[in-house]
Amino acid sequence: MMRNYVWVGKRMERVKTPYVIDARHGRKHVLLIGCNHTRDTASPQFVVIQQQFRKLQPQVAFNEGGQLDPAEQYATVQEGISRNGETGVMKYLCDRTGIQLLNGDLAEHVEFPLMLHKYGKDDLLLYYVMERLVVPYLGGAYGSQSFESLYEKAIPDWFVKSGLPLSANEQTLGYFKALYQTKIGRPFTLTLSEDIEKFDYVNGNGCYYCALGRTSKMTRDSVLLAKIDQALDKHDRVMVTFGHGHALAIEPALRQVVRRRR
């Protein structure tokens, strides 16, 4: 049982973050912290993450957004936050307690081929650039680097290497801007304009890219639940940090997973 993302979108505006899900059954205990993706070291969510980590003393933990290099170390919590938000905090805490921090997300090299069975590569390029580059960039997630330099690095390293089949021309920012003009009907601008709503998964009413986004998120949610389920076969205490929209969506399913007889 997972909640519909249109419902989640309406609920998110009224939910205080971090959104803590405490799921227990017998010895099995999962804490999922639904986070805002921020690198503001003053955000109270990072205090909550540290408090909950100490309280649970997890045996394994999962993060959103890919597997971190085990060799990468943060000297302080603040360094972890400024470099990698909630995932940086978890990496710092896991390193100091000697437990694994594992990728709870769906790897792009698996996600992109799956999505290509349902959508064309131009539509996927447009959606993922907006979701994973433009909106986070405008929110300050990528620091002070120029958008052009971010785009030039991200397309081959994050997208093409992970299975999105783009030619050399299709990897250029100029191609993306022309694609945006064709699909959206207006020139691309690096601003939080009303066009962002066309890529927001919470919007229903036949919004094409919103539906694409929901498909992506539900696929990732299923993978996260499967990884938690597998971890509970070996461990009793599991901690997870993920976006709070994902947390709201999977909450009923997570409680079912924790209650499953093993």
Side-chain angles (χ1 to χ4, degrees):
M1 281 184 62
M2 288 196 280
R3 291 170 175 149
N4 180 280
Y5 264 100
V6 175
W7 180 92
V8 168
K10 295 175 182 177
R11 178 71 174 165
M12 282 175 66
E13 297 177 359
R14 303 192 299 271
V15 168
K16 182 179 179 181
T17 54
Y19 183 74
V20 180
I21 300 173
D22 189 325
R24 311 185 195 200
H25 182 73
R27 296 192 312 274
K28 303 300 180 180
H29 190 179
V30 177
L31 274 175
L32 193 159
I33 313 295
C35 302
N36 275 325
H37 298 311
T38 178
R39 299 187 186 190
D40 178 4
T41 57
S43 171
Q45 81 173 2
F46 300 121
V47 175
V48 173
I49 291 171
Q50 294 174 77
Q51 290 172 339
Q52 294 293 340
F53 190 98
R54 289 193 292 268
K55 174 183 172 183
L56 179 65
Q57 297 182 0
Q59 296 159 302
V60 67
F62 291 98
N63 65 273
E64 182 177 359
Q67 183 65 52
L68 269 64
D69 182 355
E72 185 174 8
Q73 300 278 322
Y74 301 125
T76 64
V77 171
Q78 287 71 27
E79 182 187 1
I81 295 169
S82 61
R83 291 177 60 185
N84 217 346
E86 71 274 6
T87 299
V89 174
M90 290 292 283
K91 182 68 164 63
Y92 175 87
L93 295 170
C94 288
D95 285 346
R96 271 142 191 81
T97 53
I99 70 168
Q100 286 184 300
L101 177 61
L102 301 174
N103 177 26
D105 222 334
L106 177 62
E108 284 85 356
H109 74 269
V110 177
E111 180 180 1
F112 290 162
L114 285 175
M115 294 293 285
L116 281 164
H117 286 296
K118 301 178 181 180
Y119 299 96
K121 67 177 180 179
D122 277 349
D123 287 326
L124 292 176
L125 173 65
L126 185 57
Y127 174 77
Y128 283 124
V129 167
M130 293 300 295
E131 184 211 26
R132 300 184 182 182
L133 297 185
V134 174
V135 174
Y137 181 87
L138 292 172
Y142 296 117
S144 60
Q145 65 180 307
S146 71
F147 182 75
E148 290 75 13
S149 63
L150 171 67
Y151 192 94
E152 183 178 345
K153 174 178 171 52
I155 296 301
D157 289 354
W158 302 357
F159 292 72
V160 176
K161 287 182 181 178
S162 297
L164 197 59
L166 303 173
S167 68
N169 178 60
E170 291 167 340
Q171 295 178 43
T172 64
L173 183 56
Y175 182 85
F176 170 77
K177 289 181 176 180
L179 180 63
Y180 189 97
Q181 173 77 60
T182 300
K183 297 283 188 176
I184 305 303
R186 280 188 285 274
F188 170 74
T189 58
L190 192 61
T191 58
L192 287 173
S193 71
E194 62 182 19
D195 285 348
I196 295 295
E197 293 296 317
K198 299 180 185 294
F199 300 91
D200 193 336
Y201 63 86
V202 307
N203 295 323
N205 301 321
C207 173
Y208 179 77
Y209 291 104
C210 308
L212 189 161
R214 288 193 291 273
T215 300
S216 170
K217 290 186 181 297
M218 289 186 289
T219 303
R220 292 168 60 201
D221 288 345
S222 297
V223 169
L224 173 61
L225 286 166
K227 290 183 178 183
I228 294 171
D229 192 22
Q230 292 167 4
L232 287 171
D233 287 338
K234 299 179 180 179
H235 305 287
D236 291 333
R237 301 184 306 280
V238 179
M239 187 165 173
V240 184
T241 52
F242 243 70
H244 70 295
H246 291 283
L248 283 166
I250 72 170
E251 182 173 7
L254 176 64
R255 296 190 186 280
Q256 288 178 310
V257 165
V258 174
R259 291 195 301 267
R260 186 174 73 79
R261 173 176 270 181
R262 299 176 191 278

